[in-house]
Amino acid sequence: RGLGDVYKRQVWAYTKPSEFDEIAHKLDEVAWSSLVSCVIGSEADFDANYDAMLKELEDTGMADAEEMLTDIIKERVALSEE
């Protein structure tokens, strides 16, 4: 096995639909801003900030992105088993 085989297994290198990239970009924006609130907020507010982040991620399409990526990986695994 050469380095090409390793590269084929890297999920970040897979071609993904533009819809996935759009959702992933929005999810990154939500995660970074929300994580900052979790980290710099008071300890008493952490759980509320974290729960709000999870809700916003879910509302932004986290489950859709997860399903798309799962399908891409399943397809790649099926191709590699042929």
Side-chain angles (χ1 to χ4, degrees):
R1 294 193 147 167
L3 287 177
D5 292 332
V6 172
Y7 182 75
K8 291 176 192 174
R9 292 186 208 125
Q10 305 302 317
V11 173
W12 55 264
Y14 291 171
T15 301
K16 296 176 261 332
S18 61
E19 182 184 6
F20 174 85
D21 290 335
E22 291 169 11
I23 294 171
H25 179 72
K26 291 176 187 176
L27 291 171
D28 282 345
E29 289 177 359
V30 169
W32 279 109
S33 63
S34 297
L35 286 172
V36 168
S37 296
C38 288
V39 171
I40 66 172
S42 70
E43 188 176 339
D45 292 335
F46 179 84
D47 286 336
N49 288 337
Y50 187 77
D51 291 342
M53 177 185 71
L54 291 180
K55 170 115 176 62
E56 191 172 357
L57 288 170
E58 290 168 359
D59 292 346
T60 302
M62 183 171 62
D64 294 335
E66 181 181 294
E67 184 177 335
M68 282 186 243
L69 194 55
T70 298
D71 290 343
I72 291 167
I73 292 169
K74 284 180 181 178
E75 183 179 305
R76 291 292 181 144
V77 168
L79 288 173
S80 71
E81 291 176 345
E82 291 179 355

